Amino acid sequence: NAGVTQTPKFRILKIGQSMTLQCTQDMNHNYMYWYRQDPGMGLKLIYYSVGAGITDKGEVPNGYNVSRSTTEDFPLRLELAAPSQTSVYFCASSTRDRNTGELFFGEGSRLTVL
Amino acid sequence: RKEVEQDPGPFNVPEGATVAFNCTYSNSASQSFFWYRQDCRKEPKLLMSVYSSGNEDGRFTAQLNRASQYISLLIRDSKLSDSATYLCVVNYQAGTALIFGKGTTLSVSS
């Protein structure tokens, strides 16, 4: 059972480059999320989606875009990468049941912008 | 005021010690509460939910005080394998994302 799969695991970008972080889940979860985690900091929500075709901004959406064309996939697009986007990015998914509170995370994508 | 605040840590304790982590949240309308565990350079994983009546899972006990907007996690008989960062997590509304605290780092030594 793969769960949540993120690619790539590591990436170095130059300032101004663009890239897409891929995220796919095989648990048929409706809810999907992108968080970033800076060293010594908590996870900050970038974007989330409650179902295919529906996305919404989180706490720190600037510089990012997302799409949700299928239940399984939730890619995160970085346009014009900046050093401030150096971080670890986590994709997560969950069911509709708010009471379980269990997010299933991918292993993370470590991005460095130089 | 930050939405979810935790003890700054780090906590360095010997094996067998009892250690407690505290967390406060700012939104009184918060509905659900959780503790997650994150190992170094790994993804967070759910440790346990926190219920109003308090709940226990082996050596771990979680408590919630809605009046004081306060959550706690107690770890008894600490093991080396308990070394990790513990994240306090709050959900304000169904269908919205969880809000994470910065985490408290625990280091258990032999």
Side-chain angles (χ1 to χ4, degrees), chain B residues 7-84:
Chain B
D7 283 351
F11 286 69
N12 299 300
V13 302
E15 277 186 291
T18 295
V19 61
F21 303 141
N22 303 316
C23 170
T24 57
Y25 59 95
S26 59
N27 191 329
S28 59
S30 300
Q31 297 181 345
S32 307
F33 311 89
F34 313 92
W35 284 101
Y36 273 68
R37 169 188 169 133
Q38 186 174 23
D39 293 316
C40 187
R41 301 179 72 83
K42 297 287 188 181
E43 72 274 21
K45 292 183 179 179
L46 179 65
L47 177 66
M48 60 195 302
S49 301
V50 186
Y51 303 120
S52 296
S53 56
N55 50 299
E56 189 173 304
D57 183 2
R59 298 180 293 107
F60 298 83
T61 300
Q63 299 256 327
L64 168 65
N65 184 321
R66 284 188 184 271
S68 300
Q69 295 178 207
Y70 171 95
I71 307 159
S72 66
L73 176 67
L74 182 76
I75 305 176
R76 292 181 300 278
D77 188 22
S78 298
K79 311 291 185 191
L80 293 174
S81 57
D82 293 334
S83 297

Side-chain angles (χ1 to χ4, degrees), chain A residues 44-66:
Chain A
K44 300 291 186 184
L45 181 66
I46 305 171
Y47 271 95
Y48 68 100
S49 169
V50 300
I54 306 169
T55 62
D56 210 345
K57 295 179 180 179
E59 185 180 359
V60 290
N62 292 340
Y64 307 94
N65 277 299
V66 294

Side-chain angles (χ1 to χ4, degrees), chain A residues 10 31 33 35 37 40-43 45 48 50 90 98-103 105-107 110, chain B residues 3 31-32 34 36 38 41-44 46 49 87 91 94-102:
Chain A
F10 302 93
Y31 291 82
Y33 314 84
Y35 287 90
Q37 186 175 36
M41 303 294 286
L43 282 80
L45 181 66
Y48 68 100
V50 300
F90 288 103
R98 62 186 164 99
N99 291 322
T100 67
E102 184 164 15
L103 294 187
F105 284 88
E107 294 183 338
R110 298 180 182 279
Chain B
E3 294 187 80
Q31 297 181 345
S32 307
F34 313 92
Y36 273 68
Q38 186 174 23
R41 301 179 72 83
K42 297 287 188 181
E43 72 274 21
L46 179 65
S49 301
L87 306 171
N91 180 268
T96 63
L98 302 182
I99 307 299
F100 286 76
K102 290 184 180 180

Side-chain angles (χ1 to χ4, degrees), chain A residues 6-23:
Chain A
Q6 289 181 236
T7 57
K9 286 187 170 49
F10 302 93
R11 183 72 186 269
I12 297 175
L13 281 181
K14 293 182 180 179
I15 294 172
Q17 287 185 319
S18 300
M19 75 161 297
T20 299
L21 299 178
Q22 301 291 345
C23 176

